[in-house]
mmCIF file of all heavy atoms in Angstrom:
data_model
loop_
_atom_site.group_PDB
_atom_site.id
_atom_site.type_symbol
_atom_site.label_atom_id
_atom_site.label_comp_id
_atom_site.label_asym_id
_atom_site.label_seq_id
_atom_site.Cartn_x
_atom_site.Cartn_y
_atom_site.Cartn_z
ATOM 1 N N ASN A 276 -1.388 1.082 7.229
ATOM 2 C CA ASN A 276 -0.919 -0.294 7.054
ATOM 3 C C ASN A 276 -0.204 -0.477 5.719
ATOM 4 O O ASN A 276 0.833 -1.148 5.638
ATOM 5 C CB ASN A 276 -2.085 -1.273 7.172
ATOM 6 C CG ASN A 276 -2.520 -1.509 8.604
ATOM 7 O OD1 ASN A 276 -1.789 -1.195 9.541
ATOM 8 N ND2 ASN A 276 -3.706 -2.066 8.787
ATOM 9 N N LEU A 277 -0.763 0.103 4.668
ATOM 10 C CA LEU A 277 -0.101 0.054 3.365
ATOM 11 C C LEU A 277 1.235 0.784 3.406
ATOM 12 O O LEU A 277 2.255 0.305 2.882
ATOM 13 C CB LEU A 277 -1.005 0.668 2.289
ATOM 14 C CG LEU A 277 -2.271 -0.112 1.933
ATOM 15 C CD1 LEU A 277 -3.220 0.758 1.116
ATOM 16 C CD2 LEU A 277 -1.925 -1.384 1.166
ATOM 17 N N ARG A 278 1.246 1.952 4.044
ATOM 18 C CA ARG A 278 2.478 2.753 4.095
ATOM 19 C C ARG A 278 3.581 2.052 4.888
ATOM 20 O O ARG A 278 4.762 2.180 4.548
ATOM 21 C CB ARG A 278 2.185 4.131 4.689
ATOM 22 C CG ARG A 278 1.360 5.023 3.780
ATOM 23 C CD ARG A 278 1.304 6.448 4.281
ATOM 24 N NE ARG A 278 0.417 7.255 3.463
ATOM 25 C CZ ARG A 278 0.731 7.755 2.268
ATOM 26 N NH1 ARG A 278 1.933 7.515 1.752
ATOM 27 N NH2 ARG A 278 -0.147 8.482 1.599
ATOM 28 N N GLN A 279 3.216 1.324 5.936
ATOM 29 C CA GLN A 279 4.265 0.656 6.706
ATOM 30 C C GLN A 279 4.966 -0.397 5.858
ATOM 31 O O GLN A 279 6.172 -0.585 5.961
ATOM 32 C CB GLN A 279 3.716 0.024 7.987
ATOM 33 C CG GLN A 279 3.030 -1.307 7.859
ATOM 34 C CD GLN A 279 2.861 -1.999 9.201
ATOM 35 O OE1 GLN A 279 3.739 -2.714 9.665
ATOM 36 N NE2 GLN A 279 1.716 -1.777 9.820
ATOM 37 N N PHE A 280 4.226 -1.052 4.970
ATOM 38 C CA PHE A 280 4.842 -2.060 4.110
ATOM 39 C C PHE A 280 5.685 -1.424 3.011
ATOM 40 O O PHE A 280 6.668 -2.006 2.561
ATOM 41 C CB PHE A 280 3.772 -2.973 3.514
ATOM 42 C CG PHE A 280 3.285 -4.040 4.446
ATOM 43 C CD1 PHE A 280 1.958 -4.455 4.404
ATOM 44 C CD2 PHE A 280 4.139 -4.648 5.359
ATOM 45 C CE1 PHE A 280 1.494 -5.453 5.258
ATOM 46 C CE2 PHE A 280 3.686 -5.648 6.214
ATOM 47 C CZ PHE A 280 2.370 -6.049 6.162
ATOM 48 N N VAL A 281 5.291 -0.218 2.555
ATOM 49 C CA VAL A 281 6.143 0.510 1.608
ATOM 50 C C VAL A 281 7.466 0.859 2.275
ATOM 51 O O VAL A 281 8.552 0.642 1.726
ATOM 52 C CB VAL A 281 5.447 1.794 1.104
ATOM 53 C CG1 VAL A 281 6.414 2.636 0.276
ATOM 54 C CG2 VAL A 281 4.211 1.448 0.275
ATOM 55 N N THR A 282 7.396 1.394 3.475
ATOM 56 C CA THR A 282 8.589 1.773 4.221
ATOM 57 C C THR A 282 9.509 0.581 4.443
ATOM 58 O O THR A 282 10.737 0.695 4.385
ATOM 59 C CB THR A 282 8.190 2.390 5.573
ATOM 60 O OG1 THR A 282 7.378 3.546 5.339
ATOM 61 C CG2 THR A 282 9.412 2.784 6.381
ATOM 62 N N GLN A 283 8.906 -0.572 4.678
ATOM 63 C CA GLN A 283 9.680 -1.765 4.960
ATOM 64 C C GLN A 283 10.064 -2.536 3.693
ATOM 65 O O GLN A 283 10.600 -3.636 3.770
ATOM 66 C CB GLN A 283 8.894 -2.637 5.937
ATOM 67 C CG GLN A 283 8.743 -1.955 7.290
ATOM 68 C CD GLN A 283 7.591 -2.483 8.120
ATOM 69 O OE1 GLN A 283 6.862 -3.369 7.690
ATOM 70 N NE2 GLN A 283 7.424 -1.939 9.311
ATOM 71 N N LYS A 284 9.773 -1.930 2.536
ATOM 72 C CA LYS A 284 10.249 -2.396 1.237
ATOM 73 C C LYS A 284 9.818 -3.814 0.897
ATOM 74 O O LYS A 284 10.631 -4.671 0.525
ATOM 75 C CB LYS A 284 11.775 -2.251 1.139
ATOM 76 C CG LYS A 284 12.270 -0.828 1.325
ATOM 77 C CD LYS A 284 13.759 -0.707 1.076
ATOM 78 C CE LYS A 284 14.253 0.708 1.351
ATOM 79 N NZ LYS A 284 13.573 1.722 0.522
ATOM 80 N N CYS A 285 8.531 -4.057 0.989
ATOM 81 C CA CYS A 285 7.986 -5.321 0.512
ATOM 82 C C CYS A 285 8.094 -5.370 -1.016
ATOM 83 O O CYS A 285 8.028 -4.343 -1.682
ATOM 84 C CB CYS A 285 6.525 -5.459 0.903
ATOM 85 S SG CYS A 285 6.261 -5.603 2.684
ATOM 86 N N ASN A 286 8.227 -6.569 -1.556
ATOM 87 C CA ASN A 286 8.226 -6.719 -3.009
ATOM 88 C C ASN A 286 6.816 -6.600 -3.581
ATOM 89 O O ASN A 286 6.623 -6.071 -4.676
ATOM 90 C CB ASN A 286 8.794 -8.086 -3.403
ATOM 91 C CG ASN A 286 10.243 -8.238 -3.001
ATOM 92 O OD1 ASN A 286 10.524 -8.606 -1.869
ATOM 93 N ND2 ASN A 286 11.164 -7.939 -3.899
ATOM 94 N N PHE A 287 5.845 -7.109 -2.850
ATOM 95 C CA PHE A 287 4.458 -7.128 -3.321
ATOM 96 C C PHE A 287 3.564 -6.822 -2.125
ATOM 97 O O PHE A 287 3.686 -7.467 -1.079
ATOM 98 C CB PHE A 287 4.136 -8.516 -3.890
ATOM 99 C CG PHE A 287 2.769 -8.643 -4.513
ATOM 100 C CD1 PHE A 287 2.550 -8.264 -5.821
ATOM 101 C CD2 PHE A 287 1.703 -9.175 -3.793
ATOM 102 C CE1 PHE A 287 1.288 -8.405 -6.408
ATOM 103 C CE2 PHE A 287 0.446 -9.319 -4.366
ATOM 104 C CZ PHE A 287 0.244 -8.933 -5.682
ATOM 105 N N ILE A 288 2.705 -5.823 -2.265
ATOM 106 C CA ILE A 288 1.798 -5.432 -1.185
ATOM 107 C C ILE A 288 0.372 -5.653 -1.666
ATOM 108 O O ILE A 288 -0.074 -5.027 -2.625
ATOM 109 C CB ILE A 288 1.996 -3.962 -0.772
ATOM 110 C CG1 ILE A 288 3.442 -3.723 -0.313
ATOM 111 C CG2 ILE A 288 1.014 -3.589 0.336
ATOM 112 C CD1 ILE A 288 3.762 -2.262 -0.040
ATOM 113 N N LEU A 289 -0.339 -6.549 -0.985
ATOM 114 C CA LEU A 289 -1.690 -6.901 -1.386
ATOM 115 C C LEU A 289 -2.717 -6.262 -0.466
ATOM 116 O O LEU A 289 -2.686 -6.452 0.749
ATOM 117 C CB LEU A 289 -1.858 -8.425 -1.356
ATOM 118 C CG LEU A 289 -3.249 -8.945 -1.726
ATOM 119 C CD1 LEU A 289 -3.576 -8.607 -3.183
ATOM 120 C CD2 LEU A 289 -3.347 -10.448 -1.487
ATOM 121 N N ALA A 290 -3.636 -5.520 -1.063
ATOM 122 C CA ALA A 290 -4.774 -4.950 -0.340
ATOM 123 C C ALA A 290 -5.970 -5.859 -0.582
ATOM 124 O O ALA A 290 -6.325 -6.134 -1.731
ATOM 125 C CB ALA A 290 -5.070 -3.537 -0.842
ATOM 126 N N VAL A 291 -6.592 -6.331 0.489
ATOM 127 C CA VAL A 291 -7.675 -7.301 0.356
ATOM 128 C C VAL A 291 -9.018 -6.611 0.551
ATOM 129 O O VAL A 291 -9.365 -6.206 1.658
ATOM 130 C CB VAL A 291 -7.511 -8.465 1.359
ATOM 131 C CG1 VAL A 291 -8.600 -9.505 1.120
ATOM 132 C CG2 VAL A 291 -6.138 -9.110 1.213
ATOM 133 N N GLY A 292 -9.754 -6.474 -0.539
ATOM 134 C CA GLY A 292 -11.102 -5.942 -0.429
ATOM 135 C C GLY A 292 -11.314 -4.633 -1.162
ATOM 136 O O GLY A 292 -10.437 -3.759 -1.176
ATOM 137 N N GLY A 293 -12.494 -4.512 -1.765
ATOM 138 C CA GLY A 293 -12.819 -3.313 -2.531
ATOM 139 C C GLY A 293 -12.834 -2.042 -1.720
ATOM 140 O O GLY A 293 -12.615 -0.950 -2.263
ATOM 141 N N LEU A 294 -13.084 -2.133 -0.415
ATOM 142 C CA LEU A 294 -13.090 -0.935 0.422
ATOM 143 C C LEU A 294 -11.717 -0.278 0.493
ATOM 144 O O LEU A 294 -11.607 0.889 0.866
ATOM 145 C CB LEU A 294 -13.557 -1.286 1.836
ATOM 146 C CG LEU A 294 -15.044 -1.609 2.010
ATOM 147 C CD1 LEU A 294 -15.321 -2.041 3.445
ATOM 148 C CD2 LEU A 294 -15.908 -0.404 1.649
ATOM 149 N N MET A 295 -10.680 -1.015 0.153
ATOM 150 C CA MET A 295 -9.329 -0.479 0.247
ATOM 151 C C MET A 295 -8.886 0.248 -1.021
ATOM 152 O O MET A 295 -7.752 0.702 -1.125
ATOM 153 C CB MET A 295 -8.336 -1.609 0.573
ATOM 154 C CG MET A 295 -8.634 -2.275 1.909
ATOM 155 S SD MET A 295 -7.424 -3.527 2.373
ATOM 156 C CE MET A 295 -6.017 -2.484 2.695
ATOM 157 N N GLY A 296 -9.798 0.363 -1.999
ATOM 158 C CA GLY A 296 -9.441 0.970 -3.272
ATOM 159 C C GLY A 296 -8.885 2.376 -3.157
ATOM 160 O O GLY A 296 -7.857 2.710 -3.749
ATOM 161 N N GLY A 297 -9.555 3.232 -2.393
ATOM 162 C CA GLY A 297 -9.115 4.623 -2.276
ATOM 163 C C GLY A 297 -7.756 4.756 -1.636
ATOM 164 O O GLY A 297 -6.889 5.494 -2.135
ATOM 165 N N ALA A 298 -7.536 4.045 -0.540
ATOM 166 C CA ALA A 298 -6.245 4.105 0.148
ATOM 167 C C ALA A 298 -5.142 3.539 -0.731
ATOM 168 O O ALA A 298 -4.027 4.087 -0.789
ATOM 169 C CB ALA A 298 -6.317 3.336 1.463
ATOM 170 N N THR A 299 -5.439 2.449 -1.439
ATOM 171 C CA THR A 299 -4.438 1.823 -2.306
ATOM 172 C C THR A 299 -4.067 2.753 -3.457
ATOM 173 O O THR A 299 -2.882 2.901 -3.798
ATOM 174 C CB THR A 299 -4.966 0.489 -2.848
ATOM 175 O OG1 THR A 299 -5.332 -0.363 -1.750
ATOM 176 C CG2 THR A 299 -3.910 -0.215 -3.680
ATOM 177 N N GLU A 300 -5.062 3.383 -4.049
ATOM 178 C CA GLU A 300 -4.787 4.318 -5.145
ATOM 179 C C GLU A 300 -3.878 5.449 -4.673
ATOM 180 O O GLU A 300 -2.897 5.807 -5.345
ATOM 181 C CB GLU A 300 -6.091 4.885 -5.694
ATOM 182 C CG GLU A 300 -5.872 5.897 -6.816
ATOM 183 C CD GLU A 300 -7.170 6.382 -7.425
ATOM 184 O OE1 GLU A 300 -8.254 6.043 -6.887
ATOM 185 O OE2 GLU A 300 -7.099 7.111 -8.432
ATOM 186 N N LYS A 301 -4.187 6.004 -3.526
ATOM 187 C CA LYS A 301 -3.399 7.128 -3.012
ATOM 188 C C LYS A 301 -1.950 6.732 -2.759
ATOM 189 O O LYS A 301 -1.013 7.411 -3.210
ATOM 190 C CB LYS A 301 -4.029 7.637 -1.714
ATOM 191 C CG LYS A 301 -3.302 8.834 -1.102
ATOM 192 C CD LYS A 301 -4.019 9.309 0.163
ATOM 193 C CE LYS A 301 -3.305 10.503 0.782
ATOM 194 N NZ LYS A 301 -3.984 10.976 2.024
ATOM 195 N N VAL A 302 -1.748 5.625 -2.061
ATOM 196 C CA VAL A 302 -0.391 5.214 -1.720
ATOM 197 C C VAL A 302 0.365 4.753 -2.961
ATOM 198 O O VAL A 302 1.557 5.036 -3.113
ATOM 199 C CB VAL A 302 -0.433 4.100 -0.653
ATOM 200 C CG1 VAL A 302 0.980 3.615 -0.326
ATOM 201 C CG2 VAL A 302 -1.112 4.603 0.619
ATOM 202 N N ALA A 303 -0.327 4.069 -3.889
ATOM 203 C CA ALA A 303 0.340 3.588 -5.102
ATOM 204 C C ALA A 303 0.792 4.738 -5.991
ATOM 205 O O ALA A 303 1.875 4.686 -6.593
ATOM 206 C CB ALA A 303 -0.600 2.664 -5.870
ATOM 207 N N LYS A 304 -0.020 5.784 -6.095
ATOM 208 C CA LYS A 304 0.360 6.930 -6.927
ATOM 209 C C LYS A 304 1.576 7.657 -6.359
ATOM 210 O O LYS A 304 2.344 8.275 -7.095
ATOM 211 C CB LYS A 304 -0.821 7.900 -7.037
ATOM 212 C CG LYS A 304 -1.898 7.449 -8.008
ATOM 213 C CD LYS A 304 -3.017 8.480 -8.110
ATOM 214 C CE LYS A 304 -4.021 8.110 -9.173
ATOM 215 N NZ LYS A 304 -5.135 9.106 -9.268
ATOM 216 N N GLU A 305 1.748 7.590 -5.048
ATOM 217 C CA GLU A 305 2.889 8.246 -4.411
ATOM 218 C C GLU A 305 4.145 7.367 -4.426
ATOM 219 O O GLU A 305 5.232 7.855 -4.106
ATOM 220 C CB GLU A 305 2.538 8.599 -2.964
ATOM 221 C CG GLU A 305 1.437 9.635 -2.842
ATOM 222 C CD GLU A 305 0.972 9.812 -1.405
ATOM 223 O OE1 GLU A 305 1.564 9.190 -0.501
ATOM 224 O OE2 GLU A 305 0.009 10.587 -1.177
ATOM 225 N N ASN A 306 3.979 6.087 -4.800
ATOM 226 C CA ASN A 306 5.104 5.143 -4.771
ATOM 227 C C ASN A 306 5.066 4.287 -6.036
ATOM 228 O O ASN A 306 4.755 3.098 -6.006
ATOM 229 C CB ASN A 306 5.016 4.259 -3.522
ATOM 230 C CG ASN A 306 5.106 5.038 -2.232
ATOM 231 O OD1 ASN A 306 6.185 5.351 -1.746
ATOM 232 N ND2 ASN A 306 3.944 5.373 -1.675
#
């Protein structure tokens, strides 16, 4: 879900919830 918004070039991508920390860190470091 995070990656689809990166691909679609959102200005701001919000992850809601502490459980999303790992996925957000991974995708953010790559982008």
